[in-house]
Amino acid sequence: MKFHSFLIKYGEIGIKGKNRYIFEDALVRQIRYALQGVDGEFLVHKCHGRVYVDCDGDYDFEETVESLQKVFGIVGICPVVRVPVAELAQLRKDVVAYVDEAYEEKNMTFKVDARRAKKSYPANSMEINCEVGEAILEAFPEMKVDVHKPELRINVEIREEVYIYSRIIPGPGGMPIGTNGSAMLLLSGGIDSPVAGYMVSKRGVELEATYFHAPPYTSERAKEKVVDLARLVSAYSGPIKLHVVNFTDIQLYIYEKCPHDELTIIMRRYMMKIAEHFAKKDGCLGLITGESIGQVASQTMQSLAATNAVCTLPVYRPLIGFDKKDIVEISEKINTYETSIQPFEDCCTIFVAKHPVTKPNIERIEKSELNLAEKIDELMQTAIDTVEIIEVKQGE
């Protein structure tokens, strides 16, 4: 069956009152971005509080739907057949033809739900419901009407053309990207941080990211893996500005000067400081990490408090109460899992203590950091000055 349009259903945007147009416009922009790489010509437009994607020429249906399912703000994607506005007798035939072609199995209950946006049409919504329902019953005697819980809901909208649809393909939900500011994701090569970025961007937040690279202890392949993860997340979040920070000298200096059971916490604190520097420079409104309470030694409540203490921006941890199983399920859904488990070390795993402190005392950590006073500011400035910026986009 050839579908000529997609009706895009949105959720929370509908309750935004006078600001609704801002969210709708952001949704339209994001849909256009998502369809850039899909073969076909698409017209994305708003009409009477609805968003439509019209595709009159040839296009790849599956690829189009797959791309739309990555646009936050969409809760439903309805493939639409458009036919010219005609008298009721012809409308009856058009809807019967639609049902005949769309559904091989006819033994089901149905309901017709008509909307008359074009008020000059001679029949009202109730009359259209009755006429079209009668035509379907005559054409397919095995079908039955059920107005309360139908297996098939046939929507007929009278506009400049007649829109007929009955299928709603689920979208990802959330809010359109760019409607809630931006935040800086601390992105590693693991399973958690890409999922954390996905979850915050689902609420309309644009993403930037910082990755801490430690050559020669981490390979160039480890960096490529992180770029690949950013690209997979960008399919949902839009383009990501990725900061690749050379962290080797800072790690070696901390390793040399600080107690080894505190290495992870102290390194983490300096990562947060550097990520926050870039976040503030670019106007981000917070940091995002993939931490979950108790998952590893650096993610106990005391450890999280110790890393939070160096930040003035809020730190968002969307996975804070998740089990690993929950996180893995989302990573599989968004297609980052297989990349995350590739065996390339990131900088955190190289300098891990055998017995890391699990309940760090902030005052003791700050005292240990005094050992770094001679060179740490200079090393941090060098790391900031030599940052590599990579603009990551879906499909590039």
Side-chain angles (χ1 to χ4, degrees), residues 6-298:
F6 295 93
L7 165 62
I8 304 301
K9 289 182 174 285
Y10 52 66
E12 289 178 63
I13 296 173
I15 59 171
K16 289 300 177 187
K18 290 179 181 177
N19 290 331
R20 188 162 110 180
Y21 74 96
I22 297 171
F23 294 86
E24 289 176 338
D25 290 347
L27 182 60
V28 167
R29 277 197 306 275
Q30 200 62 24
I31 291 170
R32 286 175 182 153
Y33 170 77
L35 294 176
Q36 277 177 353
V38 180
D39 284 338
E41 294 290 321
F42 301 97
L43 174 64
V44 186
H45 62 102
K46 297 192 301 180
C47 181
H48 301 299
R50 297 292 189 89
V51 175
Y52 294 96
V53 179
D54 294 340
C55 24
D56 289 324
D58 290 332
Y59 70 99
D60 187 316
F61 177 85
E62 298 297 336
E63 192 183 356
T64 303
V65 169
E66 195 175 306
S67 298
L68 291 171
Q69 285 184 304
K70 291 176 178 169
V71 178
F72 292 133
I74 295 178
V75 298
I77 304 155
C78 306
V80 172
V81 168
R82 300 199 318 261
V83 296
V85 175
E87 297 293 323
L88 265 176
Q90 182 59 44
L91 180 60
R92 287 167 58 113
K93 290 176 185 174
D94 290 335
V95 177
V96 165
Y98 168 86
V99 173
D100 196 25
E101 197 175 344
Y103 298 96
E104 196 174 320
E105 174 59 52
K106 306 292 192 303
N107 186 15
M108 57 180 134
T109 59
F110 76 97
K111 176 187 179 182
V112 178
D113 200 346
R115 282 175 60 134
R116 188 182 57 155
K118 185 176 184 175
K119 297 304 179 189
S120 60
Y121 193 76
N124 64 30
S125 299
M126 190 62 76
E127 289 165 340
I128 297 168
N129 286 342
C130 294
E131 287 286 339
V132 171
E134 182 183 66
I136 291 170
L137 290 171
E138 287 173 3
F140 313 114
E142 63 270 45
M143 294 183 74
K144 292 182 176 64
V145 173
D146 183 344
V147 295
H148 300 296
K149 290 187 178 177
E151 296 167 274
L152 176 62
R153 188 182 294 270
I154 303 161
N155 295 274
V156 180
E157 297 191 2
I158 313 291
R159 300 181 174 274
E160 297 311 309
E161 294 176 279
V162 178
Y163 288 64
I164 307 168
Y165 62 93
S166 57
R167 184 178 168 205
I168 302 177
I169 302 164
M175 301 289 283
I177 298 297
T179 54
N180 273 313
S182 62
M184 179 66 73
L185 170 66
L186 278 81
L187 183 62
S188 72
I191 294 169
D192 304 337
S193 56
V195 174
Y198 162 85
M199 289 183 67
V200 171
S201 70
K202 185 175 180 178
R203 300 306 306 160
V205 178
E206 285 185 67
L207 293 184
E208 293 195 20
T210 302
Y211 164 61
F212 293 92
H213 192 38
Y217 301 98
T218 53
S219 67
E220 197 61 23
R221 191 65 195 84
K223 176 176 141 186
E224 288 171 23
K225 170 183 168 181
V226 171
V227 174
D228 289 343
L229 286 170
R231 189 172 293 113
L232 290 166
V233 174
S234 77
Y236 295 90
S237 70
I240 295 174
K241 181 180 179 183
L242 175 64
H243 303 72
V244 180
V245 177
N246 188 325
F247 202 59
T248 310
D249 291 344
I250 293 173
Q251 284 197 292
L252 289 172
Y253 190 50
I254 294 170
Y255 191 79
E256 179 191 337
K257 296 286 186 182
C258 295
H260 281 201
D261 64 341
E262 296 173 0
L263 286 178
T264 306
I265 292 295
I266 293 172
M267 287 176 189
R268 189 99 183 133
R269 279 162 63 92
Y270 280 97
M271 287 179 178
M272 298 289 265
K273 286 182 184 182
I274 292 171
E276 185 174 68
H277 168 85
F278 293 120
K280 287 180 174 177
K281 184 180 172 187
D282 288 353
C284 295
L285 301 173
L287 303 178
I288 306 166
T289 77
E291 292 161 314
S292 165
I293 293 173
Q295 188 167 251
V296 291
S298 63

Side-chain angles (χ1 to χ4, degrees), residues 299-357:
Q299 295 177 22
T300 62
M301 290 288 277
Q302 293 88 343
S303 299
L304 295 176
T307 51
N308 261 25
V310 300
C311 298
T312 57
L313 287 178
V315 182
Y316 299 109
R317 297 181 170 94
L319 310 183
I320 196 73
F322 279 44
D323 292 343
K324 194 70 177 184
K325 177 173 168 286
D326 304 327
I327 301 167
V328 167
E329 281 175 7
I330 298 173
S331 73
E332 288 173 336
K333 183 180 85 173
I334 65 173
N335 203 30
T336 56
Y337 179 74
E338 291 301 327
T339 303
S340 291
I341 61 171
Q342 288 174 4
F344 303 107
E345 299 287 356
D346 67 24
C347 64
C348 299
T349 55
I350 303 298
F351 295 94
V352 170
K354 281 184 181 174
H355 303 291
V357 60

